[in-house]
Amino acid sequence: MKIGICTGGGDCPGLNAVIRAVTRHAILNHKMDVYGIQDSLNGLLCDPPAVQKLSLPDVAGIIDKGGTILGTSNKGSPFKDPQKGAEAKAKAFKNWQALGLDCLIVVGGDGTQRMALQLHDAGMPIIGIPKTIDNDYLATDISIGFMTAVDVAAESISRLHSTAEAHSRVMVAEVMGRDAGFIALHAGIAAAANVILIPEIPFDFDAIVRAMDDRRKRGRNFSVIVVAEGAREQGKDPMFRKSSTGSLHLGGIAGEVASKIHQKTGIDTRVTVLGHIQRGGSPVTIDRILATAFGVHAVDLAAQKKYGRVVGYRGGQIGDIGYDEFDNGTRAISLTDPYLRAAESIGICLGR
Ligand code: F6P
């Protein structure tokens, strides 16, 4: 068999670990040829296709490397426009046939998996592997990259306590996650944040001020607040910033929270936006292990010709689910999530 692999969407730690696992298992145990498609699905849209055959030496020493040796893209779907999209799909299909690939393993979040599903529906056998630091892809309880982002964010936020205490300030740290608060909630708990604000619970400034007051009464004249980039005040919309190319990105809420808290309490505040630090660098061990297990499972699916399925970790097991068996989109933190309860039970204010 000949299989292809590509990485799509925003990069995250663990992508190289999954490329390595797929390549090694496919070559060592299934005698497959493995082809790396460059820059997400874009590698199939150019003439000639941007593809490289992967050998064992190509994937040696990369389990701990950030980024992706195959490149990636998160510039939106080439299949969006009905006319151009149909042409792009036809081109991808033609190139895929010319390369003689039996299937394509697509490593990506919800956006990339939606594009992959369109190719699958057009006749190209696809197997999906979920990755996203946001941890918001529905097919899995945990995605490659999430644990590293949490670790990096928690380590950084922990460092804010001592400087907050030294200056009697409120430090507001903004973390990524799009419309889901998984990074904020998990990193906030791990870093002993005093307040965690997530998109799933629109916040009330009065509740935050009450939390600051309670702390002051106990002699704690400083606080650390973690706010997800997609969080919003009750009755307001999330905040967006323009990138260099003019596209809109969630962000800016930490500045808003910091200035409102200063206005309402007079406490000196500072803002830290963690940004792409959460996505860069070496994956933590759990991401390397998850990426390896996901990669191996995907190759086993390919060997059994079980296409149109997404690998995932659900209910404590590595398994797979058909694209047709779930809504191929995102999830958010459920209001009955045990980690929310744990946070509030130990006195963390969730802005309500
Ligand atoms: O989806 C991953 C993510 O890092 C989000 O948390 C964030 O909002 C977005 O990507 C940033 O995208 P970009 O890399 O285009 O700035």
Side-chain angles (χ1 to χ4, degrees), residues 74 132-134 176-178 229 249 276 279:
N74 66 349
T132 162
I133 63 162
D134 306 334
M176 284 184 164
R178 288 199 207 252
E229 62 182 3
H249 292 261
H276 292 77
R279 269 182 25 196

Side-chain angles (χ1 to χ4, degrees), residues 271-319:
V271 169
T272 302
V273 179
L274 290 178
H276 292 77
I277 283 175
Q278 295 158 94
R279 269 182 25 196
S282 189
V284 295
T285 50
I286 186 69
D287 271 328
R288 300 179 200 183
I289 296 163
L290 194 67
T292 301
F294 278 6
V296 165
H297 193 87
V299 170
D300 286 341
L301 288 176
Q304 296 162 61
K305 299 191 173 23
K306 282 194 183 168
Y307 305 131
R309 304 193 69 78
V310 187
V311 176
Y313 182 86
R314 293 156 74 93
Q317 305 271 352
I318 306 269

Side-chain angles (χ1 to χ4, degrees), residues 12-15 17 62-66 148 280-288:
C12 71
L15 293 177
I62 64 169
I63 193 169
D64 58 348
K65 299 280 182 290
T148 305
S282 189
V284 295
T285 50
I286 186 69
D287 271 328
R288 300 179 200 183

Side-chain angles (χ1 to χ4, degrees), residues 113-346:
Q113 298 302 344
R114 270 196 294 271
M115 289 190 256
L117 180 58
Q118 290 189 49
L119 288 179
H120 182 76
D121 289 346
M124 190 188 294
I126 301 280
I127 294 165
I129 295 183
K131 70 84 226 174
T132 162
I133 63 162
D134 306 334
N135 207 34
D136 62 349
Y137 186 50
L138 253 179
T140 184
D141 296 342
I142 179 158
S143 295
I144 297 167
F146 171 62
M147 292 311 292
T148 305
V150 169
D151 224 52
V152 170
E155 153 72 16
S156 310
I157 296 161
S158 296
R159 288 175 181 273
L160 293 174
H161 284 280
S162 56
T163 172
E165 184 168 14
H167 290 268
S168 298
R169 282 176 175 157
V170 170
M171 310 299 281
V172 186
E174 184 174 304
V175 297
M176 284 184 164
R178 288 199 207 252
D179 301 315
F182 291 103
I183 298 177
L185 178 62
H186 289 250
I189 292 173
N194 309 111
V195 178
I196 301 174
L197 305 175
I198 57 173
E200 294 84 346
I201 303 176
F203 57 85
D204 171 8
F205 273 111
D206 291 341
I208 302 172
V209 169
R210 274 199 305 275
M212 315 275 96
D213 283 346
D214 286 350
R215 281 180 59 72
R216 275 208 277 197
K217 281 184 203 140
R218 283 183 280 120
R220 311 296 271 167
N221 289 327
F222 67 97
S223 293
V224 171
I225 299 180
V226 178
V227 56
E229 62 182 3
R232 62 191 169 89
E233 189 184 349
Q234 285 174 11
K236 297 233 173 119
D237 288 330
M239 294 182 70
F240 288 88
R241 264 196 285 252
K242 255 193 191 161
S243 75
S244 53
T245 56
S247 59
L248 287 178
H249 292 261
L250 283 167
I253 187 67
E256 180 69 12
V257 168
S259 66
K260 269 273 179 61
I261 287 176
H262 177 68
Q263 265 173 35
K264 284 177 177 279
T265 63
I267 308 174
D268 195 12
T269 57
R270 290 290 187 275
V271 169
T272 302
V273 179
L274 290 178
H276 292 77
I277 283 175
Q278 295 158 94
R279 269 182 25 196
S282 189
V284 295
T285 50
I286 186 69
D287 271 328
R288 300 179 200 183
I289 296 163
L290 194 67
T292 301
F294 278 6
V296 165
H297 193 87
V299 170
D300 286 341
L301 288 176
Q304 296 162 61
K305 299 191 173 23
K306 282 194 183 168
Y307 305 131
R309 304 193 69 78
V310 187
V311 176
Y313 182 86
R314 293 156 74 93
Q317 305 271 352
I318 306 269
D320 53 88
I321 180 168
Y323 280 113
D324 54 355
E325 289 173 55
F326 71 107
D327 173 15
N328 190 20
T330 54
R331 66 186 185 127
I333 299 177
S334 145
L335 293 182
T336 56
D337 188 301
Y339 296 109
L340 279 183
R341 188 172 165 265
E344 268 181 331
S345 302
I346 60 158

